[in-house]
Amino acid sequence: MLRHALGKTLRFVGYTVQYGCIAHCAFEYLGGIVVCSGPSMEPTIQNSDIVFSENLSRHFYCIRKGDIVIVKSPNDPKSNICKRVIGLEGDKVCTSNPSDFLKSHSYVPKGHVWLEGDNLRNSTDSRCYGPVPYGLIRGRICLKIWPLNDFGFLRASPNGHRFLDD
């Protein structure tokens, strides 16, 4: 009797570990569902929108300018932020706010990206904390799931004029 119960328990633990490992790999390497909060990505992503974030792009270094990414916050490693990639390493970016009369520019250092929210007037982003290491990128948002009337691929940046090409 005890042997039977112990065998069942060990099988249950074994299956739990197996499925836990499969789930971990799926969420780490394939992607997952993310609930976005805050106004920094409006109008593209509204507060409480639900999106799908795929993680393969970051592993294969396929992040491009214009992509919206989930990143470990440079200010608080326990939280994630959602921002748009404005510049990749070596790119010249405008580091000043849109309202500044004199515009300042800088180059994104090797191994970093420049991130900005679509709502430039209400976003804490690279203009505040500088370039972000590529290693902090968790995934690339590719699809809006909720609300259903907005289901589909994300639209282009309303601030496309901030992308500088040299």
Side-chain angles (χ1 to χ4, degrees):
M1 176 84 155
L2 180 62
R3 188 177 199 178
H4 178 69
L6 185 60
K8 274 189 149 182
T9 303
L10 288 176
R11 270 194 302 281
F12 175 75
V13 169
Y15 287 133
T16 303
V17 169
Q18 274 182 320
Y19 292 122
C21 290
I22 291 169
H24 167 75
C25 289
F27 290 127
E28 178 67 23
Y29 296 101
L30 297 179
I33 307 296
V34 178
V35 178
C36 297
S37 63
S40 72
M41 285 303 294
E42 291 177 355
T44 309
I45 298 174
Q46 305 288 326
N47 192 32
S48 300
D49 280 358
I50 300 174
V51 296
F52 178 75
S53 170
E54 62 85 12
N55 299 346
L56 290 173
S57 292
R58 88 175 154 110
H59 290 294
F60 292 116
Y61 296 92
C62 297
I63 301 294
R64 298 184 315 254
K65 281 196 273 188
D67 286 347
I68 299 174
V69 292
I70 302 291
V71 180
K72 284 280 180 205
S73 171
N75 295 336
D76 178 15
K78 292 181 181 178
S79 66
N80 292 322
I81 58 174
C82 174
K83 304 291 179 197
R84 190 178 297 271
V85 177
I86 301 299
L88 301 169
E89 63 180 43
D91 286 344
K92 183 179 178 182
V93 292
C94 180
T95 57
S96 56
N97 288 313
S99 58
D100 293 347
F101 180 70
L102 294 174
K103 303 296 181 199
S104 58
H105 296 87
S106 182
Y107 287 93
V108 180
K110 185 174 177 72
H112 290 72
V113 293
W114 189 267
L115 304 174
E116 291 182 3
D118 285 355
N119 185 354
L120 292 174
R121 299 200 190 309
N122 196 3
S123 178
T124 303
D125 49 36
S126 287
R127 294 170 295 152
C128 299
Y129 43 71
V132 176
Y134 191 93
L136 292 182
I137 296 175
R138 307 305 305 146
R140 180 180 67 91
I141 294 177
C142 56
L143 190 68
K144 188 185 287 192
I145 298 172
W146 189 263
L148 284 178
N149 61 334
D150 264 351
F151 181 87
F153 295 105
L154 297 170
R155 68 180 91 143
S157 172
N159 305 312
H161 62 281
R162 293 193 48 96
F163 296 44
L164 297 177
D165 292 320
D166 284 338

